[in-house]
Amino acid sequence: MKAWTRAHTLAAGAALIVLTNAVALAGAFLNRNAEAESRVTLSERELALPYGGYRQAEDSGLALQLNWRVLDEDPDSWNHGYARHGGQPAWLNAAHLATLGFDTTAGAATSEARQRFTRQLPRQVLLVLELEGPAWQQAVLRARENAARQTAAAAANPGSEQFAKQAEAGRRRLALEETHASRLFAIDAGLDADALRRRYPDRSRHLIVRGTVRPAERGRDGDHRLAGHVSQLAIAQVNVPFALRPVLEPLRSPPRPEPEQQAPRYEVQLAIGQRLEPWIERVTTLPER
C-alpha cells in the first residue's frame, strides 16, 4: 500500500474544491434554469446598502440586506421597519402552528402545558412575503393614528416638554413609516409551496421564501394563548452581480439625512428561482425627491 504523501493531500483538497464548486454551480443552474418562481421590484427600503458604506470584503464584494417585517398583533409594538428580527403576527395562532407541525394539543391552560409547547424546537417553513399590501397599509395607519393621538395630547397640555417630545416622536415614526421603512411583510406560512402559490398567485407582489418559526406564547392579565414567532429568513442578504455594482458604488459613502427624511435612491428587480433562492436582475437609480 502506497504511503499517503503531501501530493496526495493537495490533490484531494483540489478535488474537493472542484466538487464543491461544481455542486454550487449546478444548484445555481437548477435555480435559474426555468422561469423565475417570482419576480418583484423592490426599493432601497427593502434591499439596503450596508450601513456606513462598510466594504464587505477585500475584493469589494457587495451584498444588499433584505429588510422584511411582521405586523405584530400588539399595535404598540414597532420595530422601526428595518430591524429584521421578526415578531408575533396575529395570523400565526395555535391552529396555524398545528399545520406547520407543532404540537398544540396540550393547549395553554396551565404553565406546564405552555412550557412544553415553547420548548419545541424551531421549524423551517415556507413564508409568504407581501410587498405593499394590507399589512403595510395597517402599519402606516397605526403610525398615523399614533401621531394624531400624540399631537392631540401635546395640544391639550401646552408647555409640557414630555408631551411635546412624544408628539415629535409620533411625527418621526409616521415619516419613517411613509418614506423609509420596509413595505415587505411576512403574511403567511406553510409547508407546501404549490398550495401557497395557489393562495397567492400574484408573483410580482408575493414572494415565497424559506424561513424559521418558533413557538411562543401571548399573555396579558391572565389570558394566555399559544402563539408563533417568525424568527428569520433563509435569505439575509442578496449579492449584487459585479456588472451591476457601478450603479450602487457611488451611493455607499455620501452622508445621508435623518432616516425619516430619506427617500429611496434605487430600485432592484429581484427574482426568486425554482429552488427559492434569489438573484438580482436589474438595478436602477431613482431621481432625487
Side-chain angles (χ1 to χ4, degrees):
M1 181 177 180
K2 293 183 179 179
W4 187 267
T5 66
R6 179 178 175 82
H8 289 108
T9 301
L10 293 174
L16 180 61
I17 292 172
V18 170
L19 178 61
T20 301
N21 290 336
V23 171
L25 289 172
F29 175 79
L30 292 173
N31 186 55
R32 306 186 189 189
N33 186 39
E35 177 63 22
E37 204 286 326
S38 55
R39 181 175 283 110
V40 62
T41 300
L42 305 174
S43 77
E44 188 175 9
R45 298 169 70 160
E46 293 79 38
L47 281 171
L49 284 163
Y51 294 118
Y54 170 65
R55 308 193 76 83
Q56 296 170 304
E58 291 294 331
D59 64 352
S60 298
L62 177 61
L64 300 180
Q65 300 290 330
L66 182 64
N67 292 335
W68 59 281
R69 306 171 62 185
V70 166
L71 184 67
D72 200 279
E73 184 179 28
D74 182 0
D76 295 325
S77 176
W78 189 59
N79 63 11
H80 299 275
Y82 46 79
R84 302 185 300 276
H85 57 51
Q88 295 183 13
W91 54 264
L92 194 53
N93 54 24
H96 201 140
L97 289 164
T99 68
L100 301 178
F102 291 99
D103 183 3
T104 63
T105 55
T110 66
S111 61
E112 292 79 9
R114 295 193 296 272
Q115 288 175 9
R116 285 199 300 272
F117 172 73
T118 56
R119 282 200 297 264
Q120 294 180 81
L121 295 176
R123 289 179 173 269
Q124 187 176 82
V125 300
L126 300 176
L127 292 169
V128 178
L129 302 182
E130 182 180 60
L131 177 65
E132 223 170 11
W136 174 71
Q137 294 166 4
Q138 181 64 26
V140 174
L141 179 61
R142 286 181 178 182
R144 186 172 296 127
E145 291 175 343
N146 175 71
R149 286 195 302 269
Q150 302 297 346
T151 299
N157 295 272
S160 170
E161 183 178 355
Q162 177 183 356
F163 282 98
K165 287 183 177 179
Q166 290 174 347
E168 176 61 21
R171 288 190 291 270
R172 289 169 64 92
R173 171 178 169 178
L174 176 58
L176 277 168
E177 197 67 77
E178 291 180 331
T179 65
H180 181 69
S182 174
R183 303 160 297 169
L184 194 63
F185 281 75
I187 63 164
D188 204 350
L191 301 177
D192 187 327
D194 292 335
L196 288 173
R197 181 51 73 195
R198 287 192 296 270
R199 196 178 306 159
Y200 303 97
D202 190 344
R203 298 173 186 266
S204 66
R205 288 184 57 232
H206 297 109
L207 306 176
I208 297 176
V209 298
R210 294 184 179 89
T212 303
V213 169
R214 62 175 172 82
E217 66 171 293
R218 295 190 184 100
R220 180 178 294 179
D221 300 328
D223 177 24
H224 294 281
R225 290 175 290 153
L226 304 185
H229 189 284
V230 182
S231 303
Q232 62 185 9
L233 301 186
I235 305 169
Q237 58 187 26
V238 186
N239 291 323
V240 179
F242 182 81
L244 299 178
R245 291 180 196 170
V247 181
L248 296 172
E249 287 292 345
L251 305 177
R252 297 180 71 174
S253 299
R256 301 204 63 193
E258 291 298 314
E260 68 271 15
Q261 299 172 338
Q262 295 178 13
R265 298 172 295 174
Y266 57 83
E267 284 185 341
V268 176
Q269 182 169 289
L270 183 74
I272 304 290
Q274 296 300 312
R275 290 162 55 95
L276 304 184
E277 297 170 358
W279 75 92
I280 293 175
E281 295 183 321
R282 186 179 69 244
V283 180
T284 307
T285 55
L286 297 172
E288 293 187 11
R289 297 180 185 178

